[in-house]
Amino acid sequence: MNRFWIVLSAAAALWTAGGCSRQEPIDREALVARNNPQVVRLDSLASLSVGNGEFAVTVDATGLQSFPELYSKGVPLGTQSQWGWHSFANPESYTHDETMRGYDFGRGRTEPYSVQFNEPGRPKRAADWYRVNPHRLHLGTIGFEGLTPGQVERIDQTLDLWQGRIDSRFMVDGHPVEVTTVCHPERDMLAADIRTQAALPVVIRFAYPTGGHCDDACDWTRDEAHKSELVEQGDGHALIRRTLDATTYYVDLHFSGAALAQTGRNRFVLTPDSEHYTLRAEFCAEPPVLPAPDTEAVIAAAADYWRSYWSDGAAVDFSRCKDPRAAELERRVVLSQYLLGIQCAGSYPPQETGLTYNSWFGKFHLEMIWWHQAQFALWGREELLARTLKWYPSVEPVAREIARRQGFEGLRWMKMTDPSGTEAPSKVGSFLIWQQPHYIYLAELVYRADPSPQTLETYYDLVQKTAQFMASFAEYDGLGNRYILRGAIPAQETLRAAETVNPPFELSYWHFALSTAQKWRERRGEGRNLQWDELIDKLSPLAAKEGLYLAAETAEDTYKDIRFTSDHMAVLGALGILPKCPLVRDDLMHNTFDWIYDNWNWGRTWGWDYPMTAMNAVRLGEPEKALDALLMDKRTNTYLVNGHNYQDTRLRCYLPGNGGLLTAVALMCAGWDGCTVENPGFPKDGRWDVRWEGLKPMP
């Protein structure tokens, strides 16, 4: 190869990796470091976390969990894992079948759905039990003993994102205290390095679960209902066995410069005998078999992992932008990458509050997995998405049974669930369908990142079975010679299943997912499914009235009824989340976007609605409005000092908002298949000199 072609090839590679030509490499460490969160006071909304995707610990300004009660109504001081679940006893022997109620959606049969009952009686009690159980556990609280908030002064705390560590400095009674807090990248282990002359003991406390819908999962009044036993104790080591009803787990403690004593049924105190003492606490479903690394090794392992995380994934640098909003956007982007890496990159789909505290009893919502995790593949971390997708085959039998009992083919993925795949009874969730295409979309993102025969083989079977349900769910309307969708609650959850026909986002998603499933057949050398081709060709176009798309074909009062102009503006997802398809007209979508932008009830939205609006604006060629949507000054678009997307007093963190932000920014920079505009989501007015590396275009 001559010198000309070498230079040309290098330039082309730089364009692909960076989004613009002649770009010098981004200083990744400087980018990350300038967005390190800084905390200078006890603030219940400014707690910081360390974690690894399977396990996370959230601490207050002391670097430990010293004030869990003070933070319980803010961003709580959680210790949660993917494996840590508990169920209350079921003395009445409720069965999941008792949560079923039959519905007739005009398909010539009664379809059983798992629902919440309003009427008192055994079915209601059964449904209530299955909503609460299982619930995610708070595994234990580790904090300084006997401190009061008034004693903690001159706080200077930093989350070092590049090294994945929290450095906390403060004064107690005139004595300086320094704490370094980290999480092991591969083990569910918290490590703390403490230096102080204040002789501060550390208390390890365990609470009983609350079973609450949305709380820190700590009931401190039920000490007698659970127990903590020292089953091993030696020099600098102790193994605690926790028993809560039928649930058992372990906490393996290693410490230096201190001595441990049990001071209550569920309470242990580590008393220092040195000005420098350390603690490692590993939380395990079974007693650990591997030797515990020392604290310095845990700190080093965390630093290695996070340097690789930031160096190997994508990066976006806003430092050369002149728009005053750019610094805040960069902060949100960097912190969201960290939060999703520690909270949403595990072996199960994440709950909406991650591993911080319980929402919806700690269960996860499959319609939200796209919002949490699509960004991993777009930001060059597709292995983290693939880690979670491995869970789906384990619950295939449950999904098959849901489809079978309702008279459909293939697999119907549940909405609100837990590691077992059990469908949580719900008045809304059981009727949603937009979680169904997610598996196909996410598998496609993994394939685009790694288009290998192995990737194809890994996901092919479930892609096809997911599409089978979608094809059987769509009904042929002979009078209109078309296929329709009905008998479902759409993503805009203010609509009712019994009266909703052809919600726009779901129609477009059916088109995209079935078309993608056909591509997978071709990649495997198989013929296209001709019935699916006919369905794709005859799917109903999005319904419109007076030049605006409706919330559903049956929602003719869309722009007069607040029920249709609140919650999620899901129609925008039909072009934004999804690429352009024949069901969508650009002019009608543009009209609809303008109306929503100017008139929507923005006070009744969720964190991911802003990036969804931004993605629609980008695909419509409205970059200024995309930025306005992404940075709109609304309560549910608030990003706290720790990067969490605040919604309200119930949901003080909401990770689908963070994930949606990263997906939107990927689209704004790298565009989509066939896009020829450089950085299509940013105005070309000289204010947005955005540099990026490693992002992948969306479909």
Side-chain angles (χ1 to χ4, degrees), residues 234-276:
D235 185 21
H237 172 248
L239 181 65
I240 301 170
R241 180 171 60 213
R242 295 273 298 128
T243 305
L244 310 90
D245 303 308
T247 300
T248 300
Y249 68 95
Y250 296 83
V251 185
D252 192 43
L253 299 176
H254 291 264
F255 43 89
S256 64
L260 183 75
Q262 184 164 5
T263 59
R265 182 179 173 90
N266 297 292
R267 191 175 190 278
F268 302 82
V269 172
L270 191 67
T271 303
D273 53 30
S274 169
E275 294 180 1
H276 178 206

Coordinates of all heavy atoms in Angstrom, one line a residue, residues 234-276:
G234 N -12.0 -15.0 63.4 CA -10.6 -15.2 63.7 C -9.9 -13.9 63.6 O -10.5 -12.8 63.7
D235 N -8.6 -13.9 63.6 CA -7.8 -12.7 63.6 C -8.1 -11.9 62.3 O -7.7 -12.3 61.2 CB -6.3 -13.0 63.7 CG -5.5 -11.8 63.8 OD1 -6.0 -10.7 64.2 OD2 -4.2 -11.9 63.5
G236 N -8.8 -10.8 62.4 CA -9.0 -9.9 61.3 C -10.1 -10.5 60.3 O -10.1 -10.0 59.2
H237 N -10.9 -11.4 60.8 CA -11.9 -12.0 59.9 C -13.1 -12.4 60.6 O -13.0 -12.9 61.8 CB -11.3 -13.3 59.2 CG -12.3 -14.0 58.4 ND1 -12.6 -15.3 58.8 CD2 -13.0 -13.7 57.3 CE1 -13.6 -15.8 57.9 NE2 -13.8 -14.8 57.0
A238 N -14.2 -12.3 60.0 CA -15.5 -12.8 60.6 C -16.5 -13.1 59.4 O -16.5 -12.4 58.4 CB -16.1 -11.8 61.5
L239 N -17.2 -14.2 59.6 CA -18.2 -14.6 58.6 C -19.6 -14.5 59.3 O -19.8 -15.2 60.3 CB -18.0 -16.0 58.0 CG -19.0 -16.4 56.9 CD1 -18.9 -15.6 55.7 CD2 -18.8 -17.9 56.6
I240 N -20.5 -13.7 58.7 CA -21.8 -13.5 59.3 C -22.8 -14.2 58.4 O -22.8 -14.0 57.2 CB -22.2 -12.0 59.4 CG1 -21.1 -11.3 60.3 CG2 -23.6 -11.8 60.0 CD1 -21.3 -9.8 60.3
R241 N -23.7 -15.0 59.0 CA -24.8 -15.6 58.3 C -26.1 -14.9 58.6 O -26.4 -14.8 59.8 CB -24.9 -17.1 58.6 CG -26.1 -17.8 57.8 CD -26.0 -19.3 58.0 NE -26.2 -19.6 59.4 CZ -25.6 -20.7 60.0 NH1 -24.9 -21.5 59.2 NH2 -25.8 -21.0 61.3
R242 N -26.7 -14.5 57.6 CA -28.0 -13.7 57.7 C -29.2 -14.7 57.4 O -29.1 -15.3 56.4 CB -28.0 -12.5 56.8 CG -27.0 -11.5 57.1 CD -27.5 -10.5 58.1 NE -28.7 -9.8 57.6 CZ -29.8 -9.7 58.2 NH1 -30.0 -10.3 59.4 NH2 -30.8 -9.0 57.7
T243 N -30.2 -14.7 58.2 CA -31.4 -15.5 58.0 C -32.6 -14.6 58.1 O -32.9 -14.0 59.2 CB -31.4 -16.7 59.0 OG1 -30.2 -17.4 58.9 CG2 -32.6 -17.6 58.7
L244 N -33.4 -14.6 57.1 CA -34.6 -13.8 57.0 C -35.7 -14.8 56.4 O -35.7 -15.0 55.2 CB -34.5 -12.6 56.2 CG -33.4 -11.6 56.4 CD1 -32.2 -12.0 55.5 CD2 -33.8 -10.2 56.1
D245 N -36.5 -15.3 57.3 CA -37.5 -16.3 56.8 C -36.8 -17.4 56.1 O -35.9 -18.0 56.6 CB -38.6 -15.6 55.9 CG -39.3 -14.5 56.7 OD1 -39.7 -14.7 57.8 OD2 -39.3 -13.3 56.2
A246 N -37.1 -17.7 54.8 CA -36.5 -18.7 54.1 C -35.2 -18.3 53.3 O -34.6 -19.0 52.6 CB -37.4 -19.3 53.1
T247 N -34.8 -17.0 53.5 CA -33.7 -16.4 52.8 C -32.4 -16.5 53.7 O -32.5 -16.1 54.8 CB -34.0 -15.0 52.3 OG1 -35.1 -15.0 51.5 CG2 -32.8 -14.4 51.6
T248 N -31.3 -16.9 53.1 CA -30.1 -16.9 53.8 C -29.0 -16.3 52.9 O -29.0 -16.6 51.7 CB -29.6 -18.3 54.2 OG1 -30.6 -18.9 55.1 CG2 -28.3 -18.3 54.9
Y249 N -28.1 -15.5 53.5 CA -27.0 -15.0 52.7 C -25.9 -14.7 53.7 O -26.0 -14.9 55.0 CB -27.3 -13.8 51.9 CG -27.6 -12.5 52.6 CD1 -26.6 -11.5 52.9 CD2 -28.9 -12.2 53.1 CE1 -26.9 -10.3 53.6 CE2 -29.2 -11.0 53.7 CZ -28.2 -10.1 54.0 OH -28.5 -8.9 54.6
Y250 N -24.7 -14.3 53.2 CA -23.5 -14.2 54.1 C -22.8 -12.8 53.9 O -22.9 -12.3 52.8 CB -22.5 -15.3 53.8 CG -23.1 -16.7 54.2 CD1 -23.9 -17.4 53.3 CD2 -22.8 -17.3 55.4 CE1 -24.4 -18.6 53.6 CE2 -23.4 -18.5 55.7 CZ -24.2 -19.2 54.8 OH -24.7 -20.4 55.1
V251 N -22.1 -12.4 54.9 CA -21.3 -11.2 54.8 C -19.9 -11.6 55.3 O -19.8 -12.0 56.5 CB -21.8 -10.0 55.6 CG1 -20.9 -8.8 55.4 CG2 -23.3 -9.7 55.3
D252 N -18.9 -11.6 54.5 CA -17.6 -12.0 54.8 C -16.8 -10.7 55.1 O -16.5 -9.9 54.2 CB -17.0 -12.8 53.7 CG -15.7 -13.5 54.0 OD1 -15.6 -14.1 55.1 OD2 -14.7 -13.5 53.2
L253 N -16.3 -10.6 56.3 CA -15.6 -9.4 56.8 C -14.1 -9.7 57.0 O -13.8 -10.7 57.5 CB -16.2 -8.9 58.1 CG -17.7 -8.5 58.2 CD1 -18.1 -8.1 59.6 CD2 -18.0 -7.3 57.2
H254 N -13.3 -8.8 56.5 CA -11.9 -8.8 56.7 C -11.5 -7.4 57.1 O -11.9 -6.4 56.5 CB -11.1 -9.2 55.5 CG -11.3 -10.6 55.1 ND1 -10.4 -11.6 55.5 CD2 -12.3 -11.2 54.4 CE1 -10.9 -12.8 55.0 NE2 -12.0 -12.6 54.4
F255 N -10.7 -7.3 58.2 CA -10.4 -5.9 58.7 C -9.0 -6.0 59.3 O -8.4 -7.0 59.7 CB -11.4 -5.5 59.8 CG -11.8 -6.6 60.7 CD1 -11.1 -6.8 61.9 CD2 -12.9 -7.4 60.4 CE1 -11.5 -7.8 62.8 CE2 -13.2 -8.5 61.3 CZ -12.5 -8.7 62.5
S256 N -8.4 -4.8 59.4 CA -7.1 -4.6 60.1 C -7.1 -3.4 60.9 O -7.9 -2.4 60.6 CB -6.0 -4.5 59.0 OG -6.2 -3.3 58.2
G257 N -6.3 -3.4 62.0 CA -6.3 -2.2 62.9 C -7.5 -2.0 63.7 O -7.8 -0.9 64.2
A258 N -8.3 -3.1 63.9 CA -9.6 -3.0 64.6 C -10.0 -4.4 65.1 O -9.5 -5.4 64.7 CB -10.7 -2.4 63.7
A259 N -11.0 -4.4 66.0 CA -11.5 -5.6 66.5 C -13.0 -5.6 66.4 O -13.7 -4.6 66.6 CB -11.1 -5.8 68.0
L260 N -13.6 -6.8 66.1 CA -15.0 -6.9 65.9 C -15.7 -7.6 67.1 O -15.2 -8.5 67.6 CB -15.3 -7.7 64.6 CG -16.8 -7.8 64.2 CD1 -17.3 -6.5 63.6 CD2 -17.0 -9.0 63.2
A261 N -16.9 -7.0 67.4 CA -17.7 -7.6 68.5 C -19.2 -7.5 68.1 O -19.6 -6.5 67.5 CB -17.5 -7.0 69.8
Q262 N -20.0 -8.6 68.4 CA -21.4 -8.5 68.1 C -22.1 -7.8 69.3 O -21.9 -8.2 70.5 CB -22.0 -9.9 67.9 CG -23.5 -9.9 67.6 CD -24.0 -11.2 67.0 OE1 -23.3 -12.2 66.9 NE2 -25.3 -11.2 66.6
T263 N -22.8 -6.8 69.1 CA -23.4 -6.0 70.1 C -24.9 -6.0 70.1 O -25.6 -5.2 70.8 CB -22.9 -4.5 70.0 OG1 -23.3 -4.0 68.7 CG2 -21.4 -4.4 70.2
G264 N -25.5 -6.8 69.3 CA -27.0 -6.9 69.2 C -27.3 -8.1 68.3 O -26.5 -8.7 67.6
R265 N -28.6 -8.4 68.3 CA -29.0 -9.5 67.4 C -28.6 -9.4 66.0 O -28.3 -10.4 65.3 CB -30.6 -9.7 67.6 CG -31.2 -10.8 66.8 CD -32.7 -10.9 67.0 NE -33.3 -11.9 66.2 CZ -33.5 -13.2 66.5 NH1 -33.1 -13.6 67.7 NH2 -34.1 -14.0 65.7
N266 N -28.7 -8.1 65.5 CA -28.3 -7.9 64.1 C -27.4 -6.7 64.0 O -27.6 -5.8 63.1 CB -29.6 -7.6 63.3 CG -30.5 -8.8 63.2 OD1 -30.2 -9.8 62.6 ND2 -31.7 -8.8 63.9
R267 N -26.4 -6.6 64.9 CA -25.6 -5.5 65.0 C -24.2 -5.9 65.4 O -24.0 -6.7 66.3 CB -26.2 -4.5 66.0 CG -25.6 -3.2 66.2 CD -26.4 -2.4 67.2 NE -26.1 -1.0 67.2 CZ -25.0 -0.4 67.8 NH1 -24.2 -1.2 68.5 NH2 -24.8 0.8 67.8
F268 N -23.2 -5.3 64.7 CA -21.8 -5.6 65.0 C -21.0 -4.3 65.0 O -21.3 -3.4 64.2 CB -21.2 -6.6 64.0 CG -21.9 -7.9 63.9 CD1 -23.1 -7.9 63.1 CD2 -21.5 -9.0 64.5 CE1 -23.8 -9.1 63.0 CE2 -22.1 -10.2 64.4 CZ -23.3 -10.3 63.6
V269 N -20.0 -4.2 65.9 CA -19.2 -3.0 66.0 C -17.7 -3.3 65.8 O -17.2 -4.3 66.4 CB -19.4 -2.3 67.3 CG1 -18.4 -1.1 67.4 CG2 -20.8 -1.7 67.4
L270 N -17.1 -2.6 64.9 CA -15.7 -2.7 64.6 C -15.0 -1.5 65.4 O -15.1 -0.4 65.0 CB -15.4 -2.6 63.1 CG -14.0 -3.0 62.6 CD1 -13.7 -4.5 62.9 CD2 -13.9 -2.6 61.1
T271 N -14.2 -1.8 66.4 CA -13.5 -0.8 67.2 C -12.1 -0.7 66.8 O -11.3 -1.7 66.9 CB -13.7 -1.1 68.7 OG1 -15.0 -1.3 69.0 CG2 -13.0 0.0 69.5
P272 N -11.6 0.5 66.4 CA -10.2 0.6 65.9 C -9.3 0.6 67.1 O -9.6 1.1 68.2 CB -10.3 2.0 65.2 CG -11.3 2.7 65.8 CD -12.4 1.8 66.2
D273 N -8.1 0.1 66.9 CA -7.0 0.2 67.8 C -5.8 0.8 67.1 O -4.7 0.7 67.6 CB -6.6 -1.2 68.4 CG -6.3 -2.2 67.3 OD1 -5.9 -1.8 66.2 OD2 -6.6 -3.4 67.5
S274 N -6.1 1.5 66.0 CA -5.0 2.2 65.3 C -5.6 3.4 64.6 O -6.9 3.5 64.4 CB -4.5 1.2 64.2 OG -3.6 1.9 63.3
E275 N -4.8 4.4 64.3 CA -5.3 5.5 63.5 C -5.5 5.2 62.1 O -6.1 6.0 61.4 CB -4.2 6.7 63.7 CG -4.1 7.2 65.1 CD -3.1 8.3 65.2 OE1 -2.5 8.7 64.1 OE2 -2.8 8.8 66.3
H276 N -5.1 4.1 61.6 CA -5.3 3.7 60.2 C -5.9 2.3 60.3 O -5.3 1.3 60.7 CB -4.0 3.6 59.5 CG -4.2 3.2 58.0 ND1 -3.2 2.6 57.3 CD2 -5.2 3.2 57.2 CE1 -3.6 2.3 56.1 NE2 -4.9 2.6 56.0

